[in-house]
């Protein structure tokens, strides 16, 4: 594949670039009324091929991520119409002639589908329908296996979902938008760090989202998406240690933050202004977006803290001091402004300086894993919000990502395991071959396919649906960087109710491999050094080194060897 960075000559133009393709055949074809329904076995992406066409007339092509969509000819999201004369397609804008034969036509436009319904005029016949599957060449450097077959399947489908939505950039979904959205992208980056560790696509996507100066709107016009953009730079640096990229990007970070600071209120907080989309989540039910949202202030505060770090890396110490003053000031205001003793949680928003009585999960779960509240208040939030079914439920994988992360951060891996198996397993029981934009277990049948007021508007292959890749890597295998680029790491494995698990997490220049059952842990790290943390009733024994007790029932072992270390606990 041509390097995505080398568009530097007349013969290497961006307009000529295409990802590689490989041929795929349908797994079945079935006559349905006036046409033939082709099933390619699972969600896929690419270009249809037609060969051995005869006659003249029209060929109607209906694409579907589901059988219902492909056969729903009045409402399917994508379709094509071909004009055929003497067995040859005449719509030059819609096709290219296959180089090996003059009667095989590959569609010019790529589509997302599992099913394709082809309806021909009576005078038309088609000998064969196949496809060219288009893909981004990636190496699966991360892995996960365990004793639970459903969880193994969830990991595999998550990895496939990530691969489908990894293209020149990390896109949201392959059917509908096919666009780079910052809220989707930050989750793709995190999943990528536990699957491909493709830092080049991360950098391309971050640059693409930022665009050029001057700044005239929030990223994707969405306030929270601007903050996710800042946070994604922090994550990138922690996982890769790539200081050079941060220095290159810093001027764009500074000008974007200047735009944000120019839109703060008298409290130094952000509110939605004219032209802003305050998104938060696709919420079932009323979600107030007015006034000072606690959720937005938490993201804003973390973005200012990110600016402190990046300014220091760029050698802009005066900037760093300014951002530190702003972040410290805002963080001190968060609890007095939004904490409710009655609710034992952060309230959703304030209007005119007055707290609302509404409590949602969003600000509370972010405040937990950013460690913005005391341990006591985090535990209160766990009971009053995260484990409280009376609080507005989250039905998108997008925010389930953060909800489950907050629970994992508080040691609730068994609870999260049940949630993963039920939620993502629920999609698999509905026939999913990639994970969806949204899943509400209360919906039935074709209700699962509808969104945006359209019967087939929902994306059934959405990047943010693949979050188990991240959760299993970071909170079950337990691997995360402590210093940039895994110069130092922490491994805190947790079975979460499993009998055994094994897997690998990619790191710069190598990988960290973990095996755990109920009595044994084996760890091997190709690069870096760090602590292995183990919860046990008594002091564990290691093949190399000695454990230290850090709290009641908690121990750690320093590992600075690339040999496999075996622990009995």
């Amino acid at each position: 594949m041509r390097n995505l960075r080398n568009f530097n000559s007349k013969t290497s133009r961006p307009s000529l670039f295409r990802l590689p393709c490989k041929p795929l055949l349908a797994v079945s074809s079935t006559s349905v009324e006036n046409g033939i329904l082709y099933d390619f076995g699972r969600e896929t992406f690419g270009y249809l091929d037609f060969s051995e066409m005869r006659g003249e007339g029209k060929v109607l092509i209906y694409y579907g991520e589901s059988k219902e969509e492909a056969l729903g000819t009045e409402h399917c999201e994508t379709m094509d119409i071909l004009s055929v004369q003497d067995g040859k397609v005449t719509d030059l804008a819609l096709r290219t002639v296959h180089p090996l034969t003059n009667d095989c036509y590959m569609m010019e436009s790529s589509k997302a589908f599992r099913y394709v319904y082809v309806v021909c005029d009576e005078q038309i016949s088609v000998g064969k329908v196949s496809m060219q599957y288009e893909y981004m060449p990636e190496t699966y450097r991360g892995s996960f296996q365990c004793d639970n077959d459903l969880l193994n399947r969830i990991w595999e489908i998550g990895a496939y979902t990530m691969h489908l939505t990894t293209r020149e950039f990390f896109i949201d979904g392959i059917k509908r938008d096919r666009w780079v959205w910052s809220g989707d992208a930050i989750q793709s980056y995190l999943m990528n760090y536990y699957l491909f560790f493709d830092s080049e696509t991360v950098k391309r996507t971050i640059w693409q989202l930022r665009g050029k100066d001057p700044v005239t709107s929030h990223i994707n016009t969405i306030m929270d998406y601007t903050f996710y953009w800042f946070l994604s730079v922090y994550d990138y640096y922690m996982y890769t240690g790539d200081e050079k990229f941060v220095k290159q990007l810093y001027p764009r970070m500074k000008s974007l933050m200047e735009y944000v600071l120019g839109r703060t209120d008298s409290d130094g907080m952000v509110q939605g202004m004219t032209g802003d989309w305050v998104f938060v989540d696709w919420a079932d039910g009323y979600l107030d977006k007015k006034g000072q949202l606690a959720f937005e202030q938490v993201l804003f505060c973390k973005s200012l803290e990110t600016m402190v770090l990046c300014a220091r890396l760029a050698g802009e110490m005066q900037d760093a001091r300014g951002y530190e003053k702003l972040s410290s000031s805002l963080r001190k205001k968060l609890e007095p402004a939004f904490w409710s003793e009655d609710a034992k949680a952060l309230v959703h928003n304030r209007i005119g300086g007055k707290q609302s009585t509404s409590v949602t999960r969003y600000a509370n779960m972010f405040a937990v894993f950013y460690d913005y509240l005391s341990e006591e208040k985090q535990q209160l939030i766990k009971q009053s919000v995260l484990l409280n079914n009376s609080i507005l439920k989250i039905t998108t994988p997008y925010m389930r990502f953060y909800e489950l992360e907050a629970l994992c951060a508080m040691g609730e891996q068994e609870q999260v395991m049940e949630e993963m198996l039920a939620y993502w397993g629920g999609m698999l029981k509905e026939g999913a071959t990639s994970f969806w934009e949204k899943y509400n277990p209360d919906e039935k049948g074709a209700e699962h396919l509808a969104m945006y007021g359209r019967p087939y508007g929902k994306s059934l292959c959405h990047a943010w649906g693949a979050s188990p890749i991240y959760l299993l890597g970071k909170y079950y295998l337990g691997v995360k960087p402590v210093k940039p680029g895994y110069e130092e790491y922490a491994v805190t494995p947790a079975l979460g109710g499993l009998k055994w698990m094994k897997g690998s997490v990619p790191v710069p220049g190598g990988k960290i491999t973990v095996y755990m059952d109920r009595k044994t842990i084996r760890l091997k790290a190709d690069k870096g050094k760090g602590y292995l943390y183990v919860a046990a009733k008594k002091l564990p024994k290691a093949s190399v080194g000695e454990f230290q007790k850090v709290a009641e029932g908690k121990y750690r072992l320093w590992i600075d060897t690339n040999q496999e270390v075996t622990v009995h606990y």
Side-chain angles (χ1 to χ4, degrees):
M1 184 184 74
R2 184 183 296 114
N3 192 307
L4 283 168
R5 294 174 293 177
N6 291 343
F7 299 124
N8 54 9
S9 71
K10 292 181 179 179
T11 58
S12 181
R13 303 193 302 271
S15 59
L16 297 177
F17 175 79
R18 295 188 84 159
L19 290 170
C21 294
K22 60 183 178 182
L24 287 181
L25 299 176
V27 298
S28 69
S29 58
T30 307
S31 294
V32 179
E33 295 183 353
N34 299 321
I36 298 177
L37 180 69
Y38 296 89
D39 178 5
F40 286 84
R42 62 177 180 172
E43 180 86 4
T44 189
F45 185 85
Y47 308 83
L48 278 188
D49 270 345
F50 291 86
S51 63
E52 301 173 17
M53 282 191 174
R54 300 292 182 263
E56 61 181 68
K58 299 288 186 182
V59 178
L60 306 181
I61 308 162
Y62 304 94
Y63 301 87
E65 291 187 302
S66 63
K67 183 185 297 185
E68 292 88 342
E69 182 180 9
L71 295 175
T73 56
E74 292 186 8
H75 299 289
C76 70
E77 294 282 307
T78 51
M79 69 169 296
D80 280 317
I81 303 175
L82 298 183
S83 296
V84 180
Q85 188 171 3
D86 295 329
K88 298 186 184 300
V89 178
T90 60
D91 304 90
L92 295 179
L94 289 176
R95 58 85 174 168
T96 55
V97 178
H98 196 283
L100 300 180
T101 175
N102 288 327
D103 70 350
C104 185
Y105 297 91
M106 185 173 75
M107 302 300 296
E108 183 69 22
S109 177
S110 58
K111 297 289 194 303
F113 55 89
R114 172 179 171 174
Y115 298 92
V116 179
Y117 184 44
V118 179
V119 180
C120 301
D121 285 352
E122 289 184 4
Q123 297 84 5
I124 294 284
S125 66
V126 177
K128 182 181 177 183
V129 176
S130 58
M131 72 168 296
Q132 295 291 321
Y133 168 65
E134 185 185 71
Y135 62 97
M136 179 73 168
E138 292 283 13
T139 301
Y140 285 41
R141 294 179 57 198
S143 65
F144 181 86
Q145 276 189 302
C146 68
D147 62 280
N148 188 301
D149 290 339
L150 177 57
L151 190 61
N152 291 335
R153 183 70 175 149
I154 288 170
W155 191 93
E156 291 166 3
I157 296 298
Y160 183 63
T161 303
M162 263 299 294
H163 202 168
L164 283 170
T165 57
T166 301
R167 315 205 70 72
E168 297 90 336
F169 306 101
F170 289 112
I171 63 172
D172 63 332
I174 60 175
K175 177 175 78 171
R176 201 186 56 240
D177 296 10
R178 294 199 210 171
W179 193 237
V180 178
W181 294 92
S182 186
D184 305 61
I186 189 173
Q187 294 189 5
S188 290
Y189 306 150
L190 292 170
M191 292 180 274
N192 160 72
Y193 298 135
Y194 288 89
L195 183 61
F196 307 132
F197 211 95
D198 176 359
S199 59
E200 292 301 318
T201 302
V202 175
K203 289 191 291 184
R204 281 195 300 273
T205 308
I206 288 173
W207 277 118
Q208 195 275 349
L209 279 166
R210 175 57 184 84
K212 297 180 180 179
D213 285 331
V215 181
T216 58
S217 70
H218 281 295
I219 301 240
N220 302 129
T221 75
I222 301 174
M223 182 191 294
D224 16 321
Y225 280 28
T226 289
F227 301 138
Y228 287 135
W229 185 85
F230 287 113
L231 303 183
S232 72
V233 178
Y234 173 84
D235 291 336
Y236 175 80
Y237 177 63
M238 284 303 297
Y239 279 94
T240 69
D242 186 353
E243 188 174 321
K244 179 181 177 182
F245 176 71
V246 176
K247 290 178 178 178
Q248 289 176 329
L249 196 64
Y250 180 74
R252 299 283 178 90
M253 298 182 72
K254 182 177 179 179
S255 55
L256 181 58
M257 184 54 78
E258 286 173 351
Y259 173 81
V260 174
L261 292 172
R263 298 168 73 81
T264 53
D265 61 21
S266 58
D267 293 319
M269 296 187 184
V270 290
Q271 298 188 47
M273 299 175 68
T274 301
D276 295 345
W277 178 5
V278 180
F279 173 55
V280 185
D281 190 20
W282 295 124
D284 288 336
Y286 182 67
L287 187 63
D288 190 3
K289 308 290 182 71
K290 297 174 184 176
Q292 299 167 333
L293 270 66
F295 169 73
E296 300 291 351
Q297 314 318 317
V298 170
L299 293 184
F300 180 29
C301 189
K302 192 66 175 177
S303 297
L304 286 168
E305 291 172 355
T306 297
M307 289 301 297
V308 175
L309 169 69
C310 295
R312 287 173 178 162
L313 290 174
E316 300 291 342
M317 302 312 295
Q318 185 174 345
D319 288 355
R321 289 190 290 272
Y323 293 128
E324 191 166 30
K325 183 178 179 181
L326 289 168
S327 63
S328 177
S329 174
L330 180 57
R331 185 162 174 178
K332 289 176 183 176
K333 294 175 182 177
L334 291 177
E335 279 193 58
F338 298 105
W339 182 262
S340 166
E341 279 298 326
D342 292 337
K344 300 293 187 289
L346 298 172
V347 298
H348 178 66
N349 61 344
R350 288 198 319 176
I351 298 177
K354 184 179 179 181
Q355 285 188 359
S356 72
T357 57
S358 173
V359 174
T360 58
R361 299 173 187 269
Y362 307 105
N364 287 287
M365 59 199 190
F366 275 78
V368 164
F369 57 73
Y370 288 155
D371 205 24
Y372 277 5
L373 298 170
S374 67
E375 177 64 25
E376 179 187 1
K377 287 184 175 177
Q378 289 184 38
Q379 292 301 319
L380 289 173
I381 283 173
K382 182 166 72 172
Q383 299 302 324
S384 63
V385 179
L386 298 179
L387 300 179
N388 184 353
N389 289 330
S390 68
I391 302 295
L392 181 68
K393 292 183 180 180
I394 292 172
T395 59
T396 60
Y398 174 50
M399 278 291 155
R400 294 287 280 179
F401 180 105
Y402 298 114
E403 181 181 30
L404 297 183
E405 178 165 21
L407 287 168
C408 283
M410 291 189 289
E412 294 292 328
Q413 273 79 348
E414 290 197 24
Q415 167 81 14
V416 172
M417 179 64 66
E418 293 178 7
E419 295 283 334
M420 278 197 292
L421 293 172
Y423 189 77
W424 279 270
M427 280 188 262
L428 296 184
K429 288 177 183 176
E430 293 291 341
T433 60
S434 56
F435 288 130
W436 304 348
E437 180 177 17
K438 184 180 179 184
Y439 172 60
N440 184 344
D442 295 331
E443 294 176 341
K444 305 296 181 185
E447 289 178 331
H448 286 300
L449 310 176
M451 203 166 174
Y452 310 108
R454 306 198 301 270
Y456 308 112
K458 186 181 295 179
S459 164
L460 300 189
C461 176
H462 222 71
W464 71 33
S467 51
I469 297 292
Y470 171 70
L471 295 171
L472 291 170
K474 185 174 181 180
Y475 292 104
Y476 290 83
L477 296 178
V479 179
K480 66 178 182 179
V482 172
K483 293 183 179 178
Y486 281 95
E487 180 184 348
E488 183 181 326
Y489 56 78
V491 180
T492 312
L495 287 170
L498 297 172
K499 294 178 181 178
W500 62 267
M501 65 178 180
K502 64 179 180 179
S504 59
V505 171
V507 302
K511 63 183 178 181
I512 296 175
T513 303
V514 179
Y515 169 86
M516 184 181 192
D517 59 32
R518 292 172 179 173
K519 294 182 179 180
T520 308
I521 298 171
R522 293 195 294 270
L523 173 68
K524 186 176 187 300
D526 295 341
K527 298 287 183 180
K529 52 192 176 182
Y531 280 106
L532 169 65
Y533 293 86
V534 177
K537 294 180 180 179
K538 60 181 181 179
L539 186 70
K541 295 182 179 180
S543 60
V544 177
E546 296 289 336
F547 273 95
Q548 299 173 325
K549 185 175 182 178
V550 293
E552 191 61 38
K554 295 182 179 180
Y555 303 87
R556 70 179 186 180
L557 174 70
W558 179 251
I559 297 176
D560 59 4
T561 174
N562 61 4
Q563 295 179 331
E564 183 174 89
V565 176
T566 300
V567 172
H568 297 284
Y569 72 104

